[in-house]
Amino acid sequence: MIPLFSSSAANAGIDLAGAVGRVLTSNWYVLGDEVKSFEREFARYIGNADCVSLANGTDALELALRALNVEPGDKVACVANAGFYGSTAIRAVGAAPVYVDIDPTTQNMAVDAFADALRFQPKVVVVTHLYGQMADIEPLTKMAHDAGVKVIEDCAQSHGAIRGGRRAGSFGDIGCFSFYPTKNLGALGDGGAITCNDAALADRVRALRQYGWSTKYHVSTPGGRNSRLDELQAAVLREKLPKLDQSNANRREIARRYNEAFVDLPLVLPSSTGEDYVAHLYVLRCRERDAFRSHLQTRQVATDVHYPVPDHLQAAYRAGLESQGKLAASEAASREVVTLPCFPGISDADVATVIDAVRSFFER
Ligand SMILES: *Cc1c(COP(=O)(O)O)cnc(C)c1O
């Protein structure tokens, strides 16, 4: 079976044992030099002044909302097709999501739908760069800021994506990242971070990740918790960061091969294979999704669906059902999207097998 992702292929040739060894030698495991250095290096890579590393990407979203003073009862705009991560954070702070429909070509937040959602007066908008494809971040940010709305970029699938010379995470007020092992920059466990250009905002997140402390045992910020990245993960991420652009180029090249091979098929393909797409997931849309997936299964090609249930239709939050039908593009996408294997280190032969398997479905 050709898998959707392979850690061994993605980590091949990277000296992770050396990174782990460094931490073992230091005997320092939490908030030490590796974390400090990673934060400096990652902020510089993204093009922001500050980085605060955290325990995972969902915490990054939640602490970003808290640091932007989102409170119970506030509204936060976001999309409904991005796997409920943003919704998890919004619900965790007691705020209410205002779901904004997507553009059916990019699968990202539609600018006109966001303009319409401003009438609900959200305090913040979470813009997700889904599948590694950057959203229309410049117009969305301008529109939000003109209306006094803060912008969180969810970059958990878009580490390193560039538009107009700027990286995802450097456009809004705060960028949120996950370093879950399968992400474009992945640790050997959980990890996350925020980046921003506002020292006071970074300080609030830094306090929130450690019990709300200003100094040791002095709690000055409410809503704190323990959400630290540990030294082992920071050391691993430092080893992988210098190779991120190369591994993104590798992913993008695979996406280009797929796009070229499928151009004549009745499928909706990723809208860009330029530098604003880092091919975290190669997601296409197919009307006969179930039959398509079974066919690929028989050809030994793994597929998945990112994501099958839109946020407003998740069982835990039936209250969102009133938006059913108003998010037509998001709901249609959830019925058609399907993900093909696309990861750094996948062999040329496996890419060719995936292409043959897809084409043969339409040549039946
Ligand atoms: C993975 C992911 C997250 C959550 O990150 P975790 O580290 O798993 O908490 C948030 N948003 C998006 C879009 C993601 O893909």
Side-chain angles (χ1 to χ4, degrees):
M1 199 78 178
I2 300 173
L4 278 170
F5 180 75
S6 159
S7 288
S8 64
N11 288 333
I14 302 178
D15 182 20
L16 299 180
V20 171
R22 241 175 23 237
V23 176
L24 291 178
T25 307
S26 78
N27 287 299
W28 191 279
Y29 302 113
V30 176
L31 295 191
D33 288 342
E34 297 287 347
V35 161
K36 265 193 221 106
S37 299
F38 173 68
E39 290 178 342
R40 197 173 51 240
E41 290 156 11
F42 193 64
R44 189 185 312 133
Y45 175 81
I46 296 301
N48 276 352
D50 266 302
C51 169
V52 182
S53 60
L54 300 165
N56 59 69
T58 310
D59 277 5
L61 291 165
E62 184 184 333
L63 298 192
L65 290 166
R66 287 189 195 282
L68 291 170
N69 302 313
V70 174
E71 288 169 351
D74 283 341
K75 295 189 177 112
V76 178
C78 65
V79 289
N81 69 327
F84 210 82
Y85 305 105
S87 293
T88 302
I90 292 164
R91 296 287 186 181
V93 303
V98 172
Y99 290 118
V100 180
D101 213 357
I102 57 164
D103 174 333
T105 58
T106 64
Q107 323 305 325
N108 278 321
M109 185 178 283
V111 176
D112 55 349
F114 176 60
D116 182 54
L118 284 172
R119 68 196 156 93
F120 296 106
Q121 298 188 296
K123 197 168 198 174
V124 170
V125 57
V126 177
V127 179
T128 303
H129 303 296
L130 196 64
Y131 310 142
Q133 171 61 54
M134 285 181 71
D136 284 330
I137 190 65
E138 299 99 324
L140 289 170
T141 300
K142 166 132 196 2
M143 217 178 264
H145 285 169
D146 286 350
V149 177
K150 298 286 189 189
V151 177
I152 293 176
E153 293 180 72
D154 183 346
C155 308
Q157 303 191 355
S158 64
H159 317 66
I162 296 179
R163 176 153 324 135
R166 291 169 67 184
R167 298 219 191 248
S170 68
F171 291 84
D173 296 282
I174 187 162
C176 294
F177 294 83
S178 164
F179 306 121
Y180 185 79
T182 61
K183 308 289 185 179
N184 289 42
L185 181 61
L188 300 181
D190 279 310
I194 64 95
T195 65
C196 67
N197 281 320
D198 175 340
L201 187 61
D203 282 345
R204 280 204 292 283
V205 175
R206 220 171 266 120
L208 288 168
R209 80 169 167 189
Q210 184 148 256
Y211 323 117
W213 285 354
S214 47
T215 55
K216 204 171 181 185
Y217 308 137
H218 291 77
V219 179
S220 57
T221 305
R225 67 170 60 194
N226 174 356
S227 181
R228 297 173 299 224
L229 183 75
D230 63 63
E231 288 282 287
L232 280 168
Q233 301 305 342
V236 164
L237 291 168
R238 290 184 68 202
E239 213 56 47
K240 293 182 76 172
L241 180 59
K243 301 174 169 77
L244 175 57
D245 286 340
Q246 184 53 51
S247 106
N248 281 345
N250 191 232
R251 286 176 182 263
R252 196 182 287 119
E253 195 46 46
I254 297 152
R256 279 192 187 137
R257 282 182 67 188
Y258 286 157
N259 266 20
E260 273 172 35
F262 305 150
V263 71
D264 58 327
L265 302 180
L267 296 166
V268 178
L269 304 176
S271 56
S272 164
T273 54
E275 62 183 2
D276 65 343
Y277 175 55
V278 290
H280 171 63
L281 297 172
Y282 184 89
V283 176
L284 48 73
R285 290 177 61 158
C286 177
R287 296 206 166 212
E288 306 166 84
R289 182 173 69 191
D290 290 347
F292 181 71
R293 292 189 71 199
S294 319
H295 177 81
L296 292 190
Q297 168 89 22
T298 65
R299 297 296 189 104
Q300 304 294 307
V301 174
T303 63
D304 204 348
V305 172
H306 296 92
Y307 297 91
V309 183
D311 292 12
H312 61 296
L313 301 179
Q314 290 287 2
Y317 296 96
R318 309 299 288 181
L321 283 174
E322 72 263 15
S323 9
Q324 184 162 19
K326 294 178 191 149
L327 295 162
S330 306
E331 289 167 16
S334 73
R335 292 188 291 268
E336 296 180 5
V337 289
V338 47
T339 306
L340 299 184
C342 178
F343 55 88
I346 188 174
S347 70
D348 285 349
D350 282 354
V351 171
T353 301
V354 174
I355 290 172
D356 284 347
V358 169
R359 292 202 60 88
S360 66
F361 176 74
F362 295 98
E363 284 155 8
R364 287 165 308 169

